[in-house]
């Protein structure tokens, strides 16, 4: 087996539901993917499609009213759902790290940046305090924060949004994890800072062979960072493909519609092609293909039977149009 | 000639009173000057927290300016009496970012759209009102059959259409739109952008359009102002700004815009390790800490917008920017 084909993380037929007033409300309907070593998988989808819920489920961080109703998440073959507390603690942050959308909210406002970084290191590694501090300085330098030695003594409010997010990345990378799960890490930032952060993640990932699951609703960001892309719609994978192929030649009508509807930045156009209608609300999935009410190619069959994922040349597409291709 | 909106030397400082010690002062808008011309869309672009919404609030009379001129149709907004202000609101309407919180959940669409008409005692005749509401709904792509429904029965995009319809009810001349598509699903953004462009034409609207997305700005705006930490660093006709950006911040923003059309190239434009120079925070130029062209002169050069071409102004102290591109940073 080729080194880069070794799966580090495997999500198999993952179903997640929330406890609703009138019974369980399913929000993820059988998500599957494998993340090979050293690759970046982007999970794209619109608001409510299940991106965050799926990410939280990986490290068993789902809110109490949510549960995995079926399926599993495996890290190097181990089922994370059935792992004991102690074993899970060893994996969290250590082998699998997570970055959340809002950096300011994830940092502790009353501790200095240095305290937070060294605490993370000391909790998981046997090292002296001074060694941890030295490592913290190195980490800050690695994420491009000038004058790291001095800035360790500062508090989060003294850092800009972009710098806080870089500190979060430094923390996430402190223990050299195998997998980084990043949920919209750049959504709150301006595009210049966003580009810096994306470059940084990409560089560090290349240098260390880390794998990453990168969650975003921004297709353009995906184009810059991902090796593979998974398009989520209403809690289902609609299309899975290598990034270059997906952008070059999207197969699913939803992906095609999304790409067409984006305003281009390099030219001025008069009108934007639109996908009519809107995504279904949770618990209100139409029968058959979830995209059928908005799909220009929908046939009777689409409205009755939900298509499976059809495989072709390493790509997967949930659309009857790809049957037998 | 009076223009729809003229803002000159606008300053806004938020003050937080404290029981002990000095009040906390937070300057948010610093010497902002802008003009919104008739039937134009002026885009205000800048990162989160730079002061875009504050500018909208001052323009709408929700916040008082600390100093400066804020004129709508030649009337100075902060000095208007209550009744003058009410009259002005017929001309000046607003659409906010979040279509969820901007509609009263207890009112149905008919009530939501009728409220502004009732306040201003317009279209009181029953038949006339009915026809008007129908026309209004059609204009924003909704139908008369949805009049009796409540906001929670609509999707985000449809709610934003209701907000737009409500803003159009008084047939305003100026629309302030504060990130009207940012909270919407990607697949629904294009629908609303097309709608805004269409009503600008059909209703001869002038629009202040706030966004942090350059692609969206290029699609909709005639003129663009780029804001950085409460200051306008560059303003120009939209196409001029995209093809001939002058300020280093604008240049950096544009080169960093990721695009599905030119993926790798765009995102990795600024390949070097990110660098910030916090020691330059005290410099005269507010962008110095992030500027790759900074020079000793930028420490002291007073900050000022200067014309670099007709209708094109830039606030880089060491102009012309094109000429120092080759020079190395300090
Ligand atoms: N605490 C909760 N209680 C009930 N339902 C929830 C809760 N959190 C999320 N959901 C529902 O689960 C679904 C998936 O939500 P999730 O947060 O994963 O979406 P997302 O794809 O991350 O969206 P966004 O782009 O807005 O972050 C949505 O329908 C949402 O309404
Ligand atoms: N009522 C307020 N009191 C104090 N500070 C405020 C208030 N409203 C906004 N600010 C601050 O002013 C700055 C600009 O905010 P805002 O105009 O909302 O930015 P933008 O719309 O560009 O994201 C931010 O630092 C914000 O925290
Ligand atoms: S299965 Fe049918 S409705 Fe669904 S995306 Fe394909 S063509 Fe469209
Ligand atoms: S004045 Fe100097 S620091 Fe400021 S933008 Fe121009 S070159 Fe950069
Ligand atoms: Mg989310
Ligand atoms: Mg705002």
């Amino acid at each position: 087996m080729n080194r880069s084909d070794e799966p580090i993380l495997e999500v198999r037929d993952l179903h997640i539901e929330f406890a609703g007033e009138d019974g369980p409300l399913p929000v993820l309907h059988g998500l599957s993917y494998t993340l090979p070593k050293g690759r970046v998988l982007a999970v794209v989808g619109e608001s409510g499609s299940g991106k965050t819920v799926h990410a939280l489920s990986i490290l068993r961080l789902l809110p109490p009213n949510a549960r995995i109703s079926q399926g599993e998440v495996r890290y190097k073959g181990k089922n994370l759902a059935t792992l004991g507390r102690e074993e899970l603690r060893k994996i969290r942050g250590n082998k699998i790290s997570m970055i959340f959308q809002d950096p300011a909210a994830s940092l502790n406002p009353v501790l200095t940046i240095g305290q937070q970084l060294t605490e993370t290191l000391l909790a998981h590694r046997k090292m002296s305090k001074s060694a941890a501090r030295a490592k913290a300085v190195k980490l800050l330098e690695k994420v491009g924060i000038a004058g790291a030695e001095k800035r360790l003594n500062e508090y989060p409010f003294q850092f800009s949004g972009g710098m806080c997010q870089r500190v979060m990345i430094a923390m996430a990378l402190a223990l050299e994890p195998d997998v980084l799960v990043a949920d919209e890490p750049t959504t709150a930032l301006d595009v210049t800072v966003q580009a810096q952060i994306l470059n940084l993640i990409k560089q560090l990932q290349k240098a260390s062979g880390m794998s990453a699951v990168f969650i975003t609703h921004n297709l353009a960001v995906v184009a810059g960072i991902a090796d593979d892309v998974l398009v989520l719609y209403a809690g289902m994978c609609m299309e899975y493909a290598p990034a270059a192929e997906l952008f070059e030649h999207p197969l699913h009508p939803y992906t095609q519609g999304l790409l067409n509807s984006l305003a281009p930045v390099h030219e001025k156009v008069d009108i934007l092609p639109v996908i009519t209608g809107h995504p279904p609300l949770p618990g209100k999935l139409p029968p058959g293909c979830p995209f059928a009410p908005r799909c220009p190619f929908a046939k009777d069959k689409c409205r009755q039977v939900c298509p499976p994922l059809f495989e072709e040349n390493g790509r997967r597409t949930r659309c009857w149009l790809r049957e037998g291709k | 000639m009076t223009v729809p909106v003229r803002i000159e030397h606008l300053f806004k400082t938020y003050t937080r009173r404290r029981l002990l010690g000095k009040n906390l002062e937070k300057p948010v808008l610093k010497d902002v000057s802008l003009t919104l011309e008739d039937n134009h869309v002026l885009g205000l672009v800048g990162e989160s927290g730079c002061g875009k919404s504050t500018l909208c609030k001052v323009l709408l009379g929700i916040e008082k300016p600390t100093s400066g001129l804020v004129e709508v149709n030649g009337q100075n907004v902060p000095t208007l009496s209550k009744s003058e202000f009410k009259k002005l609101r017929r001309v000046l309407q607003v659409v906010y970012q979040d279509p969820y919180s901007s509609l009263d959940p207890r009112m149905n669409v008919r009530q939501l759209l009728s409220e502004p008409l009732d306040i201003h005692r317009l279209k009181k005749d029953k038949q006339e009102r009915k026809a008007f509401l129908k026309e209004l709904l059609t204009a924003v792509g909704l139908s008369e059959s949805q009049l009796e429904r409540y906001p929670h029965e609509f999707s985000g995009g449809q709610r934003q259409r209701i907000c737009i319809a409500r803003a159009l009810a008084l047939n305003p001349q100026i629309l302030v739109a504060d990130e009207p598509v940012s909270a919407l699903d990607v697949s629904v953004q294009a629908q609303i952008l097309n709608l805004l462009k269409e009503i600008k034409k059909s209703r001869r609207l002038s629009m202040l359009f706030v966004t942090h997305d350059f692609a969206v700005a290029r699609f909709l705006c005639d003129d663009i102002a780029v804001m950085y930490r409460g200051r306008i660093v560059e303003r120009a006709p939209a196409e001029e700004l995209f093809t001939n950006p002058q300020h280093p911040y604008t240049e950096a923003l544009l080169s960093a815009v990721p695009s599905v059309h030119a993926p790798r190239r765009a995102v990795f434009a600024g390949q070097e390790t990110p660098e910030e120079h916090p020691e330059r925070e005290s410099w005269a130029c507010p962008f110095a800490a992030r500027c790759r062209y900074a020079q000793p002169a930028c420490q002291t050069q007073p900050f000022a917008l200067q014309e670099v071409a007709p209708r094109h102004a830039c606030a880089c102290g060491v102009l012309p920017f094109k000429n120092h591109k080759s020079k190395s940073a300090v």
Side-chain angles (χ1 to χ4, degrees):
Chain A
M1 196 190 252
N2 177 322
R3 210 177 106 90
S4 72
D5 289 346
E6 230 173 87
I8 281 282
L9 193 71
E10 254 189 294
V11 171
R12 286 193 200 159
D13 193 30
L14 188 64
H15 291 251
I16 297 176
E17 61 188 30
F18 280 94
E21 274 168 25
D22 325 309
L25 199 64
V27 294
L28 207 61
H29 312 267
L31 182 67
S32 301
Y33 63 80
T34 54
L35 180 66
K37 187 168 165 49
R39 280 181 86 86
V40 178
L41 169 73
V43 176
V44 261
E46 301 185 70
S47 189
S49 58
K51 305 181 296 292
T52 299
V53 163
H54 129 269
L56 293 175
S57 75
I58 294 175
L59 281 174
R60 290 198 358 220
L61 295 170
L62 283 173
N65 61 337
R67 66 178 196 110
I68 296 181
S69 53
Q70 195 180 318
E72 58 191 26
V73 179
R74 288 181 175 267
Y75 165 72
K76 288 191 170 168
K78 273 185 237 165
N79 185 349
L80 292 176
T82 55
L83 225 50
R85 269 185 189 282
E86 187 50 26
E87 250 183 305
L88 186 69
R89 197 191 66 85
K90 279 191 197 142
I91 288 180
R92 262 187 208 163
N94 199 3
K95 301 291 185 194
I96 306 178
S97 284
M98 196 158 171
I99 310 177
F100 297 93
Q101 180 162 348
D102 183 359
S106 332
L107 286 169
N108 187 334
V110 299
L111 294 180
T112 65
I113 300 294
Q115 284 168 330
Q116 306 194 41
L117 273 169
T118 48
E119 244 171 44
T120 308
L121 288 164
L122 292 171
H124 288 277
R125 293 277 184 278
K126 283 206 172 70
M127 53 165 59
S128 68
K129 267 200 163 159
S130 62
R133 200 173 158 89
K135 173 110 203 233
V137 172
K138 276 231 181 69
L139 281 166
L140 281 194
E141 280 168 356
K142 213 170 172 179
V143 296
I145 291 179
E149 184 83 60
K150 249 199 240 146
R151 306 218 70 163
L152 276 187
N153 301 322
E154 294 184 357
Y155 291 87
F157 76 87
Q158 290 166 293
F159 280 49
S160 71
M163 289 167 93
C164 283
Q165 197 55 290
R166 278 187 248 161
V167 171
M168 288 307 301
I169 292 174
M171 294 242 250
L173 300 176
L175 302 163
E176 287 155 29
D178 293 332
V179 183
L180 176 71
V181 180
D183 188 5
E184 310 249 12
T186 59
T187 304
L189 309 172
D190 93 15
V191 287
T192 61
V193 184
Q194 167 171 294
Q196 291 172 351
I197 305 266
L198 294 180
N199 279 329
L200 183 67
I201 294 180
K202 191 91 189 163
Q203 276 170 17
L204 297 172
Q205 178 256 330
K206 278 221 175 93
S208 68
M210 181 181 76
S211 313
V213 180
F214 194 96
I215 293 168
T216 178
H217 65 270
N218 187 331
L219 281 159
V221 164
V222 172
I225 193 159
D227 297 306
D228 304 299
V229 185
L230 192 157
V231 181
L232 265 187
Y233 185 76
M236 276 187 221
C237 171
M238 289 289 132
E239 178 159 13
Y240 174 90
E245 290 178 34
L246 184 110
F247 288 108
E248 192 66 30
H249 190 44
L251 293 179
H252 198 281
Y254 173 59
T255 319
Q256 292 165 356
L258 274 186
L259 287 171
N260 281 336
S261 72
L262 293 180
V265 73
H266 60 278
E267 63 177 334
K268 184 169 176 99
V269 295
D270 276 340
I271 190 160
L272 299 170
V274 300
I275 304 179
T276 54
H278 52 88
L281 296 171
K284 299 251 167 79
L285 277 194
C289 171
F291 188 58
R294 310 175 71 187
C295 180
F297 310 108
K299 301 169 292 189
D300 284 346
K301 183 179 187 180
C302 306
R303 284 180 273 268
Q304 285 147 17
V305 192
C306 182
L309 282 164
F310 292 106
E311 299 234 16
E312 53 191 302
N313 312 321
R315 303 180 62 162
R316 278 179 264 156
T317 316
R318 189 183 296 281
C319 173
W320 287 118
L321 294 176
R322 306 310 302 174
E323 189 180 19
K325 296 272 161 125
Chain B
M1 197 191 95
T2 56
V3 285
V5 175
R6 185 195 310 283
I7 292 176
E8 270 172 27
H9 304 296
L10 171 65
F11 287 80
K12 171 69 190 174
T13 299
Y14 287 110
T15 313
R16 206 171 80 207
R17 296 198 189 288
R18 293 202 300 185
L19 284 174
L20 302 167
K22 266 183 29 199
N23 288 342
L24 285 181
E25 304 233 301
K26 183 166 188 180
V28 172
L29 297 178
K30 301 165 190 166
D31 201 5
V32 171
S33 298
L34 285 175
T35 306
L36 169 60
E37 288 172 35
D38 184 41
N39 199 213
H40 274 53
V41 181
L42 170 63
L44 185 61
V45 188
E47 65 188 312
S48 160
C50 74
K52 306 182 295 292
S53 297
T54 302
L55 181 81
C56 294
K57 284 181 199 156
V58 172
L59 180 59
L60 292 161
I62 299 166
E63 289 282 355
K64 285 249 176 283
T66 306
S67 66
L69 184 77
V70 182
E71 267 185 12
V72 174
N73 280 344
Q75 290 178 288
N76 192 9
V77 177
T79 61
L80 292 182
S81 70
K82 250 201 169 127
S83 67
E84 285 170 322
F85 189 72
K86 187 176 160 193
K87 243 193 233 153
L88 185 73
R89 283 308 293 263
R90 278 186 63 172
V91 183
L92 177 69
Q93 287 289 319
V94 58
V95 177
Y96 292 106
Q97 172 168 355
D98 184 2
Y100 295 87
S101 59
S102 30
L103 294 173
D104 185 338
R106 292 160 306 183
M107 289 165 91
N108 65 22
V109 176
R110 178 192 302 283
Q111 292 162 329
L112 285 165
L113 298 185
S114 296
E115 191 185 46
L117 297 170
D118 292 338
I119 291 175
H120 290 274
R121 299 172 202 279
L122 296 167
K123 315 272 178 214
K124 285 195 291 199
D125 175 76
K126 221 174 162 190
Q127 283 309 313
E128 197 191 3
R129 172 74 62 99
K130 188 167 178 240
F132 183 76
L133 291 184
K134 182 175 173 185
E135 184 203 313
L136 201 55
L137 282 173
T138 317
V140 298
L142 294 171
S143 88
E144 200 181 6
S145 66
Q146 290 162 316
L147 270 175
E148 308 307 327
R149 290 169 59 183
Y150 289 82
H152 70 88
E153 298 173 66
F154 291 94
S155 69
Q158 289 172 321
R159 282 182 225 194
Q160 198 58 295
R161 286 174 197 270
I162 299 170
C163 294
I164 293 172
R166 202 169 129 92
L168 295 180
L170 298 174
N171 224 341
Q173 181 199 342
I174 306 164
L175 196 63
V176 175
D178 189 357
E179 311 230 25
V181 298
S182 308
L184 299 180
D185 273 324
V186 191
S187 69
V188 179
Q189 286 191 8
Q191 300 171 4
I192 299 297
L193 289 171
N194 284 339
L195 172 64
L196 288 172
K197 196 172 208 171
E198 209 273 313
I199 56 175
K200 175 219 164 191
K201 222 196 263 165
S202 61
R203 298 182 169 241
R204 266 202 77 80
L205 280 175
S206 309
M207 207 183 304
L208 177 68
F209 183 84
V210 174
T211 180
H212 61 263
D213 185 335
F214 268 108
V216 163
R218 189 162 202 172
F219 173 72
L220 194 64
C221 301
D222 301 298
D223 299 301
I224 292 180
V226 180
M227 191 178 233
Y228 185 71
R229 294 198 191 164
R231 290 185 153 104
I232 303 296
V233 296
E234 184 164 7
R235 45 162 215 249
E239 283 313 289
E240 161 88 1
L241 189 99
F242 281 102
T243 50
N244 187 23
Q246 291 292 310
H247 197 279
Y249 182 52
T250 315
E251 187 206 44
L253 283 173
L254 286 174
S255 72
V257 177
S259 158
V260 295
H261 306 281
R264 311 265 156 184
R265 205 163 11 107
V267 175
F268 297 110
Q271 190 57 255
E272 328 85 71
T273 352
E275 251 193 291
E276 278 181 31
H277 302 271
E279 74 279 3
R280 296 190 197 149
E281 290 292 353
S282 58
W283 287 23
C285 173
F287 186 59
R290 285 167 62 185
C291 184
R292 44 199 285 242
Y293 305 108
Q295 297 172 37
C298 312
Q299 291 184 43
T300 50
Q301 190 85 27
F303 181 93
L305 269 176
Q306 293 165 41
E307 289 256 313
V308 292
R311 305 189 62 225
H312 188 168
C314 168
C316 172
V318 289
L319 284 170
F321 163 51
K322 283 271 163 342
N323 295 340
H324 66 253
K325 262 195 173 171
S326 49
K327 289 187 197 160
S328 63
V330 280

